[in-house]
Each structure stands twice: as structure tokens, then as C-alpha cells.
Amino acid sequence: MGNKRFQSSLTKKFVMAFMGLFLITFLFVHLGINLLVLLPDKDYFNLAAHFMSTNPVIKVFEVVLFGGFIIHIIYGLILQIQNWMARPDRYKIEGWSHKSPFSKFMIHTAAIIFIFLAIHLGDFYFRAKFGAIGDVLINGEHYHDMAALVMAKFLSLGYVVGYILAFVILGFHLHHGFQSAFQSIGLNSKTYTPFINGLSTIISIILSLGFIVIPLVIYFGS
Amino acid sequence: MDLTLKIWRQAGPTVKGKFEQYSISGISTDSSFLEMMDVLNEELIGKGEEPVAFDHDCREGICGMCSLYINGRPHGPDGGITTCQLHMRKFKDGETITIEPWRAKPFPVIKDLIIDRSALDAIIQSGGYISVNTGGVPDANAIPIAREDAELAMDAAACIGCGACVAACKNASAMLFVSAKVSQFALLPQGKTEAKDRVRTMVAKMDELGFGNCTNTYACEVECPKEIKVTNIARMNRHFLGAKVSG
């Protein structure tokens, strides 16, 4: 008893919600660019990747984005640890009354997404920044051949399976996370909440399926 | 009906507890769950054993004293009722029933199935009231209140403070309880004057007492014997955010 918290539980939830919604908007941008790799002309993807890594506005957003991820992760961990501490003695029979099956496993899906993110950043983001990547000539200028890197990665069955699993898990995370964010910031009404719940399902399916389609097309199309 | 009961036995707050198994037979399907517990206790007393300690008072579903986490659900398998309103016909003959106390850090076990829920009282003391000057009795209809607000406030005020929301929540969060208490005042003109301070102090007290954080699983709404809605939690979030923004 008697533990004063530096921020209230509700403030932390607001931060989680806003950061979560911000990260979802980023996922849509990321998906839009990724889908370009499926076009027959890989120049579009390579030019988009170049734009994303060099444009000054995007560079500012990159910092905001990393900050968003870190805050979402740290606050999520703090909230989860406090939640575990709030029930030191577990029940013999665990309850299953929650309305969404995914809501109970947010920390577990988050852990898998975090592992995926670490591998993903190592394979693409940091490699593009610091590693050796082949060049491609577009309109007389040299660009990183990110498309070739992606195509090569998605020829490995293990990589494709891992990638798909990660995005199925992300879908579960977002299915609860999107609609939950609105409740956390106090938006719950019988007029629009059914719409938000429906949108949550649609967004989670679009984002996970959208990302999953890419390795499938590359693997089976090659 | 014949039943096997697995009941949490704990001699005191600082003693380690464990499950004890009891067999009980000849229970009427028409008896209430607590009557079944009474029968068990009479048998235990007859054998010279310590009866199982459990909370109960009105046995009419309105006082909020009874608790019990039955087969993984606060107040048992039926919806919208307290344990005292639960009947044995909701169970199968020969069934094994596991009975545990509410488990949460702010709800320490006093004995067996009795827990100390005074943490909820501490939250009420922190802001769950309105301040009024004494004097002449005001006219009942002097302040107009929209019917919808009156209904919502009454729905929130139906909370009996039993703690089932805390027991059901995977995070042992008291948000449904606190939000119901915040809402029942904030929705009415008399409660609006102190609304900002109330939401701030009650949330701060809830955090301080070590309740978990809400992760919107809505298990509380499912298990609440008074069917308090999670829209109250959204309202409290909204008011808290408003109080924070406006300073």
C-alpha cells in the first residue's frame, strides 16, 4: 500500500492509446510503400525507399516514430508489471470473462512483435543505413537496390513463415489495440463505438493481410 | 445433488493458505449457493472441524457483502447476480466446484474466503461524495435534470461495491467501481461542482492502493452483478483527461 505513482494509471493509458494510434498510421504508410515491390518495375520501390531514407521531413518523423515505439513499449511494460503486481497470488482457475480473446494476451503478442521488429530492423533498416547493399541505376543515378534485398529474403521459406506468423500476431494485437485506444481516451458511445469496433477488425485484417501478401507473392511467384 | 468442493482455507492474513477438498451430498437444487455453504459448515461443526469463513449479509443481492470466486468466475456461473442469489440448479450433480476468495493485492485475505475490501471505502472517502451546506430542505424539483442523465446516474449508482470487477479483471483493476462512483455524481448537477477534483483524487487513491491498470478486457462488465457498463470507464477517462487539460 501507499505507492505514489509519478503518473496516474489513466495518463499512462492515454499515452499508450495515442502512441498506438500513431503507430497504426505509420503501418499504413509502410504497407503502401511495401506493396510497390510487387510492381513489375522495381524502380518505384527503390525510389520510395530512397525518398523515405533521405527526405528531411521523413527524417524528423523517423525520430518521432522511434520515440513513439520506445514510449509505447516502455509504458506498456510499466503498466504490465504494475498489473502483475496487483495480483501477487493467482487464481487456481483463471477467469475467461473478457470480451475479446486477444485482450488477455497483449503483452505476449507485443513480445513477439518486438522480437520481429528487432530482426526486421537488423535485416532492412540498419542494413540500408550501414550495411553493404547492391546499387541499381535509375535515370542515370545510383540508388540502393532495396527491392533485390527484399526479393532475396522472401525466397527463404523459413523467413516467409516467420514473417507471416509475425503479422498474424500483429493483427491480433491491433484487433484489440485499435478499439481499446478509443475507450482509453474516453470515446465510447452507442452511436459510434460499434463502428469503431468494426473498423478495428477491418484495420487489423487489412494491415496483417496486406503485409502477408507480399512474401507470398514473391515466394510463389519466383 | 452430490458435490465435491475444493475450498481455499487460510487461517489468517499472514498464514499460507491451501485448498481443502470436501464431499457434500443431499443438496437441494432449489437451495442457494450460500445455503449449500451453510450445510457444509454445519457438517464441519458437527465433526468438530473449523467451519469455512465467508462473507454474507442481506442474502437479497443488494448489500454487496457476499463474494466468492466460483469455478473461475466472481459470483459464480450465472450473470447479473451476486453469490447469494446463485442457485444450486446452475451446477451439475457430481460436479467439482472450486471456491476461491477474490484475489488482489489491495484485497488481503482475512480468513478463508473473507477478504478485506476496505480499499474500496478508502477510494470513496477520497472523493465519492458531494459537499452541501446544511439548512432548509431544497425543493425536490428546483434543479431540472434530463431524464437520460438521471437514468445513467441511477444505473451507475446501482454499484454495490462488492469488488467483483476487481476479482474478474486480469489486472485486478478497480476502474469499473471507481468510474461508476465518479459517474453517479458527475452526471448530476449537484455533483458537477466537485467533479474535477473528485475524478483526480479518486483515481490517485485507486492507484496508490495498488489496484492494476485497466486494459479494456471488459471482464468487469461481464461479471458485474449490477451490470454496470464500461461506458462509465470511458466517461471517467474523458473527465480525467478534461480535468488534466483544463488544469
Side-chain angles (χ1 to χ4, degrees), chain B:
Chain B
M1 52 200 301
D2 301 336
L3 300 160
T4 304
L5 305 172
K6 281 186 184 164
I7 302 177
W8 182 259
R9 302 302 308 262
Q10 187 171 336
T14 52
V15 188
K16 209 168 149 34
K18 65 175 188 334
F19 281 96
E20 293 279 356
Q21 192 163 313
Y22 301 95
S23 294
I24 191 163
S25 51
I27 297 292
S28 161
T29 49
D30 292 331
S31 68
S32 79
F33 197 84
L34 295 188
E35 283 164 350
M36 182 275 293
M37 294 293 286
D38 292 336
V39 172
L40 171 73
N41 275 347
E42 278 179 22
E43 283 182 14
L44 290 177
I45 293 165
K47 284 192 272 185
E49 290 177 32
E50 183 79 9
V52 179
F54 62 91
D55 261 329
H56 60 105
D57 191 14
C58 75
R59 298 209 179 191
E60 290 178 340
I62 53 172
C63 77
M65 269 313 285
C66 60
S67 54
L68 306 188
Y69 193 81
I70 303 160
N71 286 346
R73 296 187 65 181
H75 295 302
D78 212 355
I81 55 157
T82 53
T83 298
C84 62
Q85 302 294 294
L86 176 65
H87 285 83
M88 294 314 294
R89 54 180 169 267
K90 293 288 168 186
F91 298 89
K92 289 190 222 63
D93 188 29
E95 192 172 340
T96 299
I97 305 174
T98 305
I99 310 167
E100 301 176 69
W102 286 178
R103 291 196 194 276
K105 187 170 154 247
F107 288 171
V109 172
I110 297 171
K111 189 178 180 187
D112 297 337
L113 302 170
I114 296 181
I115 44 135
D116 180 359
R117 280 170 284 188
S118 50
L120 298 184
D121 297 333
I123 294 172
I124 293 293
Q125 283 158 8
S126 72
Y129 51 79
I130 58 163
S131 306
V132 286
N133 292 323
T134 54
V137 180
D139 179 28
N141 297 316
I143 308 169
I145 299 169
R147 181 182 155 76
E148 196 188 341
D149 290 343
E151 290 290 339
L152 286 171
M154 195 60 209
D155 288 348
C159 168
I160 51 175
C162 66
C165 46
V166 179
C169 178
K170 77 177 182 67
N171 311 320
S173 167
M175 286 283 277
L176 193 66
F177 167 79
V178 180
S179 66
K181 299 302 173 190
V182 163
S183 292
Q184 77 184 49
F185 294 117
L187 282 160
L188 299 177
Q190 295 90 336
K192 284 201 177 17
T193 319
E194 293 159 296
K196 265 199 235 174
D197 279 344
R198 180 181 306 113
V199 70
R200 272 195 289 249
T201 54
M202 288 179 81
V203 167
K205 181 54 84 175
M206 170 184 81
D207 288 348
E208 184 194 322
L209 290 165
F211 287 101
N213 307 294
C214 178
T215 51
N216 307 327
T217 68
Y218 307 147
C220 52
E221 184 182 272
V222 174
E223 297 298 354
C224 176
K226 297 298 158 188
E227 299 177 329
I228 307 284
K229 298 278 169 263
V230 293
T231 43
N232 288 299
I233 297 181
R235 182 180 298 105
M236 181 165 80
N237 291 341
R238 208 154 58 225
H239 286 193
F240 186 86
L241 193 58
K244 211 155 179 74
V245 171
S246 63

